Amino acid sequence: MKTIDHKRLDQVVLDARKAADARAEGYREKALKLYPWICGRCAREFTQANLRELTVHHRDHNHDNNPSDGSNWELLCLYCHDNEHQKQIEADRGYTDGRSSRGGGATHNPFAALQDLLKKKD
């Protein structure tokens, strides 16, 4: 039985994390220089004070695809970025939106009787 060299394993993980952080820092800085500090979905504006809440989203979901023109990036706030990835997860699992034939959309209309209620007041 082979023993695991934990020290070497820790070093490999540390090196991989540092490389990923360096790669992310590079494209993040480039994206922040290329694009206005506005979420591409909800249009929330950012300043230096809250810039940490603005993320770089890779349109093709490939973090290694970083063309210098920024064509694979869009700036999204944390909430919109999480939502975008959740949509991708659901699509990968075969879930669909409410417009499909599978259904799942809302069936209750809370305003169905509103016209009748307004007529009664006249």
Side-chain angles (χ1 to χ4, degrees):
M1 188 166 134
K2 220 176 186 184
T3 11
I4 297 173
D5 184 353
H6 290 284
K7 190 173 183 177
R8 183 173 179 276
L9 183 60
D10 289 343
Q11 188 61 47
V12 168
V13 170
L14 179 64
D15 292 345
R17 184 73 252 162
K18 283 182 181 178
D21 289 345
R23 186 175 65 242
E25 188 65 29
Y27 68 73
R28 178 176 168 73
E29 291 306 315
K30 288 178 188 174
L32 291 174
K33 287 178 185 172
L34 280 173
Y35 296 112
W37 295 355
I38 299 172
C39 176
R41 299 290 159 86
C42 69
R44 179 178 164 200
E45 295 183 25
F46 291 82
T47 64
Q48 195 69 42
N50 63 353
L51 190 58
R52 68 187 172 282
E53 298 173 18
L54 188 62
T55 65
V56 179
H57 174 67
H58 289 79
R59 296 172 195 261
D60 69 358
H61 299 272
N62 179 356
H63 289 215
D64 292 321
N65 182 9
N66 294 302
S68 59
D69 67 353
S71 58
N72 189 37
W73 305 326
E74 63 182 327
L75 297 179
L76 299 177
C77 72
L78 293 172
Y79 306 106
C80 291
H81 194 209
D82 285 348
N83 181 261
E84 184 62 29
H85 281 277
Q86 185 62 39
K87 289 190 313 189
Q88 182 67 35
I89 290 168
E90 290 174 4
D92 290 345
R93 292 182 180 167
Y95 301 143
T96 57
D97 63 16
R99 295 175 290 219
S100 71
S101 60
R102 187 178 131 190
T107 57
H108 175 70
N109 181 356
F111 302 110
L114 184 60
Q115 190 66 31
D116 293 335
L117 290 172
L118 292 171
K119 286 179 183 176
K120 288 180 183 178
K121 287 194 172 197
D122 293 338

